Amino acid sequence: MHAGLRITAFAAALAATFGTAYGVGQGVGPVTGDETPARHDAHKGDSESGHSGHESPPAGGLQISENGYTLDLRTPRLAAGRTADLRFTIRGEDGRAVTAFRREHDKELHLIVASRDLNTYRHLHPTRAADGTWSIPVSLPRAGGYRVFADFTPEKKGAENLTLGADLAVSGTYAPQNLPAPDTTTATEGYDVKLGGALRPGAARELKLTVSRNGRPVTDLQPYLGAYGHLVALRSGDLAYLHVHPGGEPGDGSTQPGPDISFTAAAPSSGTYRLFLDFKHEGKVHTAAFTVRAGAAVTGEEASEEAPHESSGEHGH
């Protein structure tokens, strides 16, 4: 799950102008254009179909139900600035809560919460009760519409990794914010992170993120969920969810603990994306965010020329 590339899709675009008190009902956002709600692991597709990373993965994560599993968000509303438990279950075809999950990268389930304007992001790991109810305390700073993504693999023979999504409303005075302008550098909690490479639909491309502090490269990053960094990309407009992971892992004999963290990614379409990098240093997890634009699709010989020639290891979220 956390050792290669993963690209799924974000929730529906906001369709209305909100008043001072904001609320959005739970549901599934629309799929636009030629996007498909089917979710696949991009690298898994490469290895099993014989492709070389040239094809853009289909958009995913827009569905609340897939392959017989449903995300039942028991807490569809929260209040801005207040800590409260976010609760949900994963239900199977029989309607019962699923209680057996495959443990991947130290966790049975990974939860992403993102605001629709992409200015707020959380990568969380809730706790599962014996009856299958997941919960975690959450405090979201601003009112507005959010999307909750549950990423998991049921402990069932032949079960595939899934990312299901549901809408979350956070009440309060709504003050819309613009998406930050594209940039190749960002700062977070005393760290500077530089982004190299580009997202391109139709061709897998390398993204390299370089971490420094006080002008010096950070060369002692710590493993976090089995990797030195995790990268999630969300597509502006429909919240298409694109989960990308590094090409190596700690202890593989070749992956260094910084300052560079490399990923391989292909965008599902052209458009604007928000990238969120999680990395751990000196016992604390930090998140760096970037806005990038993916250009026109790459096809044919151009895709072959641009595709990376080295495998990025085990893939999947």
Side-chain angles (χ1 to χ4, degrees):
M1 183 157 117
H2 281 284
L5 159 67
R6 246 200 66 183
I7 297 184
T8 52
F10 327 41
L14 285 177
T17 301
F18 304 99
T20 56
Y22 181 91
V24 175
Q26 179 180 355
V28 179
V31 180
T32 60
D34 60 356
E35 296 162 9
T36 170
R39 186 222 165 277
H40 297 282
D41 181 292
H43 282 299
K44 180 179 178 182
D46 293 344
S47 62
E48 294 186 358
S49 64
H51 296 165
S52 301
H54 307 334
E55 295 184 358
S56 297
L62 295 175
Q63 299 189 112
I64 200 168
S65 296
E66 185 178 355
N67 291 354
Y69 294 91
T70 299
L71 170 58
D72 181 6
L73 188 60
R74 311 297 294 276
T75 314
R77 293 175 180 81
L78 296 173
R82 297 182 181 179
T83 300
D85 280 348
L86 183 67
R87 298 164 59 84
F88 64 94
T89 57
I90 303 298
R91 300 194 179 278
E93 289 182 309
D94 58 4
R96 296 180 180 178
V98 178
T99 58
F101 296 82
R102 189 173 305 157
R103 196 173 183 86
E104 296 181 319
H105 286 265
D106 300 332
K107 302 294 179 181
E108 289 186 334
L109 183 145
H110 297 261
L111 191 73
I112 301 295
V113 180
S115 62
R116 291 184 181 275
D117 62 13
L118 301 182
N119 281 276
T120 301
Y121 168 86
R122 300 284 189 272
H123 182 169
L124 307 170
H125 299 104
T127 300
R128 179 177 57 82
D131 66 355
T133 300
W134 294 89
S135 64
I136 187 169
V138 175
S139 178
L140 298 171
R142 298 182 299 107
Y146 287 74
R147 189 69 170 174
V148 175
F149 297 94
D151 189 322
F152 62 94
T153 302
E155 187 62 78
K156 180 180 179 181
K157 185 176 181 180
E160 297 181 354
N161 179 253
L162 296 171
T163 299
L164 303 179
D167 287 344
L168 171 68
V170 178
S171 63
T173 301
Y174 178 62
Q177 294 186 356
N178 293 328
L179 188 69
D183 202 341
T184 58
T185 60
T186 191
T188 177
E189 299 177 306
Y191 295 84
D192 295 306
V193 183
K194 182 178 180 180
L195 172 65
L199 273 180
R200 200 92 185 262
R205 302 289 296 273
E206 182 184 31
L207 297 175
K208 181 182 292 185
L209 293 109
T210 304
V211 182
S212 63
R213 185 171 64 169
N214 299 324
R216 297 181 179 180
V218 175
T219 58
D220 57 344
L221 294 173
Q222 295 170 291
Y224 173 59
L225 302 174
Y228 288 124
H230 298 280
L231 188 65
V232 172
L234 305 178
R235 183 171 59 195
S236 179
D238 68 349
L239 295 192
Y241 174 99
L242 185 161
H243 207 149
V244 190
H245 294 283
E249 59 184 26
D252 64 6
S254 60
T255 303
Q256 300 298 314
D260 297 332
I261 312 171
S262 295
F263 304 84
T264 303
S269 73
S270 59
T272 301
Y273 292 79
R274 188 77 166 151
L275 307 185
F276 299 93
L277 171 71
D278 291 328
F279 64 93
K280 186 176 182 180
H281 188 239
E282 296 182 350
K284 184 178 179 180
V285 177
H286 306 273
T287 301
F290 299 84
T291 300
V292 301
R293 292 196 177 102
V298 179
T299 58
E301 295 182 0
E302 186 181 6
S304 298
E305 293 173 359
E306 292 189 353
H309 299 292
E310 296 183 2
S311 170
S312 57
E314 179 187 357
H315 308 299
H317 179 190

